[in-house]
Amino acid sequence: MLRIVLYVLAIVACGGAGALVGWAISGAIGLTGTPMALVASFLGMIAATGLWILGTVIHLRGR
């Protein structure tokens, strides 16, 4: 049960961090409105996936 809770927390953390990265980059390049939302979601998904992969690698090396 604890393992499932930790996976859910990791998903939420990676998704939240990815969303912040996407939002920050989209805002930094001057986008607003719908284009900003589309670019932010795309970049956020890439960042979240990268963070998930990084976390998995770190976790597996710790075993």
Side-chain angles (χ1 to χ4, degrees):
M1 179 68 176
L2 179 61
R3 179 176 263 175
I4 293 172
V5 172
L6 291 176
Y7 281 133
V8 170
L9 289 175
I11 290 168
V12 170
C14 289
L20 287 174
V21 167
W23 176 75
I25 292 173
S26 297
I29 61 176
L31 295 175
T32 59
T34 303
M36 181 180 183
L38 292 171
V39 171
S41 63
F42 179 74
L43 294 175
M45 286 187 281
I46 291 172
T49 302
L51 289 170
W52 182 264
I53 292 169
L54 179 65
T56 301
V57 168
I58 291 170
H59 175 70
L60 292 177
R61 285 190 180 182
R63 286 186 173 187

